Amino acid sequence: MSKETKNIIIMTQERSGSNLLCRLFSQYDHMSVNTEIADWFPQKTNERIEDLNLKEKIKKHYPYKSFDEFVELMRELCNKDFMIFKMFQHHITKVSWKLEKQKHSSFIVLTRNILDSYLSYVPSRENKVWSNFDTTKIKVNFIPHEFIKYHKNRTNYFDNIKKTIKNSPHLKSNFIKADYK
């Protein structure tokens, strides 16, 4: 590796506009955008690695000891300035990932109005379609207790991110907060 690749990790929730952000980043040749790589970990072929050159390189190192090792290996094998991927709340739990231990990383905390997100989340969940699914004209049966649970869950996720940043001084300068409206 001739230069050091830096990770940009998008901390967000489903239906936040993160696919649009990833598509914008992918327009730049110096960025490797790989979306939700934790969804496919620890499989040998990770369908969320969209950089085909990187996908072939990483397969040669299977099996991976941990998700952190997998991410670090991807970063080392990447031939671009930046490697971008998304982390949702369920990803963190699934792969036992620790935000405060990330090196070579900057973060974008992408939020969206919680009600807008929920109104998009419900039809996506019901139709099992998450990517490129326009939910703007779909009428949602609003269930208050379900929304309260959703709101609490997402609020806790973002509160935990804020707490981790506050308690990890080395992370503070590596965060950008973006609100999708």
Side-chain angles (χ1 to χ4, degrees):
M1 182 177 79
S2 59
K3 60 185 171 192
E4 187 163 296
T5 299
K6 183 152 180 111
N7 291 334
I8 298 177
I9 304 169
I10 302 170
M11 307 294 295
T12 192
Q13 63 193 26
E14 301 90 342
R15 311 307 296 169
S16 64
S18 59
N19 283 339
L20 174 60
L21 183 60
C22 285
R23 281 195 300 274
L24 292 171
F25 282 137
S26 71
Q27 300 302 306
Y28 295 92
D29 292 336
H30 63 286
M31 295 184 171
S32 173
V33 180
N34 299 294
T35 67
E36 299 156 40
I37 59 175
D39 274 346
W40 293 85
F41 180 80
Q43 297 171 7
K44 184 174 184 176
T45 302
N46 191 311
E47 296 304 319
R48 296 299 186 163
I49 301 174
E50 295 169 20
D51 180 331
L52 299 179
N53 189 23
L54 181 58
K55 186 183 279 194
E56 288 308 308
K57 288 179 187 177
I58 196 81
K59 275 199 254 184
K60 295 174 184 171
H61 296 273
Y62 182 82
Y64 321 107
K65 292 179 188 151
S66 68
F67 184 71
D68 287 331
E69 178 193 57
F70 174 69
V71 170
E72 182 61 15
L73 187 60
M74 281 183 61
R75 188 190 68 76
E76 289 174 2
L77 294 171
C78 186
N79 62 352
K80 309 248 176 136
D81 295 332
F82 299 98
M83 184 181 76
I84 299 165
F85 62 93
K86 302 188 291 187
M87 288 298 282
F88 295 156
Q89 184 174 11
H90 68 274
H91 295 152
I92 292 170
T93 306
K94 176 184 177 193
V95 297
S96 301
W97 188 74
K98 299 285 186 210
L99 171 66
E100 62 273 16
K101 292 185 178 181
Q102 300 311 302
K103 302 179 216 171
H104 312 290
S105 300
S106 292
F107 302 86
I108 297 173
V109 180
L110 179 63
T111 59
R112 181 178 182 191
N113 174 289
I114 197 81
L115 181 58
D116 290 341
S117 178
Y118 176 76
L119 294 175
S120 182
Y121 171 82
V122 171
S124 289
R125 182 192 64 208
E126 289 171 357
N127 290 286
K128 295 180 175 51
V129 179
W130 296 98
S131 188
N132 302 317
F133 182 44
D134 183 0
T135 60
T136 54
K137 294 186 173 128
I138 297 175
K139 186 173 171 127
V140 172
N141 182 21
F142 188 83
I143 303 168
H145 73 275
E146 188 179 290
F147 173 71
I148 291 167
K149 181 180 175 185
Y150 179 89
H151 184 279
K152 183 178 179 182
N153 185 283
R154 297 317 186 268
T155 301
N156 286 341
Y157 172 58
F158 288 111
D159 286 348
N160 285 334
I161 292 171
K162 288 179 199 171
K163 182 180 173 185
T164 302
I165 296 167
K166 183 179 179 183
N167 294 331
S168 305
H170 67 285
L171 295 177
K172 285 183 181 178
S173 63
N174 294 324
F175 270 87
I176 297 172
K177 186 173 185 311
D179 293 317
Y180 173 72
K181 297 186 184 209

